[in-house]
Amino acid sequence: MTANAYDRPAARVALVIHGGAGVIERDKLDADDERAIRADLDRALDAGHALLADGGSALDAVEAAVRVLEESPRFNAAKGAVFNAEGRHELDASIMEGHTRRAGAVAAVRTVRSPIRLARRVMERSPHVMLISDGAERFADDHDDLERVANDWFDTELRREQLERAQQRERAEAEAGVPADLRGRYFGTVGAVALDVHGHIAAATSTGGMTNKKWGRVGDSPVIGAGTWADARCGVSGTGWGEFFIRNAVAHDICARVAYGGQSLQEAADAVVMRVIPEHGGDGGVIALDADGNIVMPFNTSGMYRGWVKPDGSRGTAVFRERD
């Protein structure tokens, strides 16, 4: 006898987000700031999971979650983006739909309020995957639904102070004749990975990049396969020292280990984040989920802002490893 709708198991949906990994020391994170950060993470979870629970797509869910984080000054993306060496903001983002392998990305954009929405428009309304700088801005000119703002709209006092400290440190290193120490300058970034009722996975990542970056530097966040990846089985969004995520194709490597190596998602993510990246001199973390709704969030730094809603509906947010 054919089972009716009441006999079939409920569709499983899941969502995991991050607000960046990095040098986050417990004794330096004010309790009020931590509460505010967790509240923003919860708002992002609410935005994405509401769509999933209503039967919406994973693609819509990751965009919605990331857009909430882009609007928060507490994360290094859009409104809270870091300053480059010229005292301006250059924003990067990417998004990918796993079952179709469609992807869109933008780099070094300056006046688009939501870089992740622009990345999705590149995916859906252009024949390309990545647009950069002036070209991406001209593409945005043709889409009325992409809100534009002056570059100083992204300013925050905290990020300006970070720029000043980074430049002071850079001058001191130059005077001392020692190599530049980039630790602590490249963290931030926001991202989301979702599984929808159709079993489809999508991933998205958005960032302001590295404090005091020069020469149009672009990290891993807009690079498909490095900072963002989704396929039919697996989705990943990364955060960390972008050069090492690019060199090791981190997001794709994790999903390839699942697809071709027979590893579990946990085994694959741990191998890449806890062994491969540190062995090459980098650090950071990832969020990932698979088609069964398994969620993993490994990081090799002191902390990573993150939040999740599992298929059973349980949810949470965390900053430090001890509070998982």
Side-chain angles (χ1 to χ4, degrees):
M1 183 174 67
T2 303
N4 62 36
Y6 296 103
D7 297 322
R8 290 194 293 267
R12 296 161 61 86
V13 301
L15 175 66
V16 58
I17 64 174
H18 71 77
V23 185
I24 309 165
E25 302 296 346
R26 187 185 296 279
D27 60 353
K28 295 181 180 178
L29 181 60
D30 178 87
D32 289 338
D33 288 339
E34 182 174 347
R35 280 193 291 270
I37 288 166
R38 287 175 180 265
D40 284 343
L41 292 171
D42 271 322
R43 279 190 283 272
L45 288 174
D46 289 343
H49 191 258
L51 292 170
L52 295 172
D54 198 38
S57 71
L59 193 66
D60 286 343
V62 294
E63 181 189 354
V66 167
R67 289 189 67 197
V68 170
L69 299 175
E70 286 181 333
E71 289 290 305
S72 169
R74 298 177 179 88
F75 305 103
N76 177 18
K79 180 57 182 174
V82 299
F83 288 88
N84 65 12
E86 298 174 350
R88 293 170 60 79
H89 308 279
E90 294 176 321
L91 313 173
D92 310 324
S94 63
I95 192 167
M96 187 168 187
E97 184 178 63
H99 67 291
T100 63
R101 297 289 179 94
R102 295 190 303 164
V106 294
V109 298
R110 300 178 298 274
T111 67
V112 177
R113 181 165 176 163
S114 176
I116 197 63
R117 170 158 282 193
L118 175 58
R120 183 169 178 178
R121 293 296 173 267
V122 172
M123 180 185 79
E124 295 179 330
R125 301 180 186 177
S126 85
H128 309 301
V129 171
M130 179 182 284
L131 300 179
I132 66 169
S133 193
D134 292 341
E137 300 271 331
R138 290 196 298 272
F139 176 80
D141 288 340
D142 296 331
H143 297 84
D144 293 338
D145 61 336
L146 295 172
E147 184 177 353
R148 309 297 284 278
V149 293
N151 192 254
D152 62 8
W153 183 85
F154 303 107
D155 289 4
T156 61
E157 189 56 35
L158 173 62
R159 300 306 186 196
R160 191 172 295 281
E161 292 171 359
Q162 290 175 339
L163 173 64
E164 292 169 355
R165 288 197 298 270
Q167 293 181 333
Q168 289 170 359
R169 181 168 57 180
E170 182 180 62
R171 288 191 293 270
E173 289 166 347
E175 291 172 1
V178 299
D181 181 1
L182 297 179
R183 289 174 298 178
R185 304 188 197 183
Y186 47 85
F187 291 118
T189 309
V190 304
V193 189
L195 171 70
D196 64 28
V197 295
H198 307 290
H200 298 156
I201 295 170
T205 312
S206 182
T207 190
M210 178 188 291
T211 299
N212 199 33
K213 61 186 179 181
K214 301 179 179 67
W215 311 303
R217 179 264 184 188
V218 175
D220 65 301
S221 295
V223 179
I224 299 300
T228 303
W229 179 261
D231 57 35
R233 299 181 181 88
C234 173
V236 177
S237 173
T239 167
W241 196 335
E243 280 69 16
F244 293 92
F245 279 58
I246 294 171
R247 291 167 184 164
N248 292 286
V250 163
H252 181 265
D253 187 20
I254 291 170
C255 290
R257 289 167 182 260
V258 172
Y260 309 126
Q263 294 184 359
S264 70
L265 184 65
Q266 188 74 64
E267 291 170 336
D270 283 349
V272 175
V273 173
M274 308 308 289
R275 188 180 74 245
V276 174
I277 295 173
E279 284 177 353
H280 289 84
D283 49 7
V286 304
I287 55 170
L289 61 73
D290 64 20
D292 295 321
N294 296 307
I295 291 173
V296 300
M297 300 167 283
F299 56 98
N300 56 42
T301 58
S302 57
M304 181 170 77
Y305 302 123
R306 58 205 188 276
W308 61 90
V309 183
K310 296 181 179 181
D312 64 5
S314 63
R315 61 182 285 166
T317 62
V319 179
F320 303 103
R321 187 168 286 104
E322 304 94 309
R323 295 186 179 180
D324 287 357

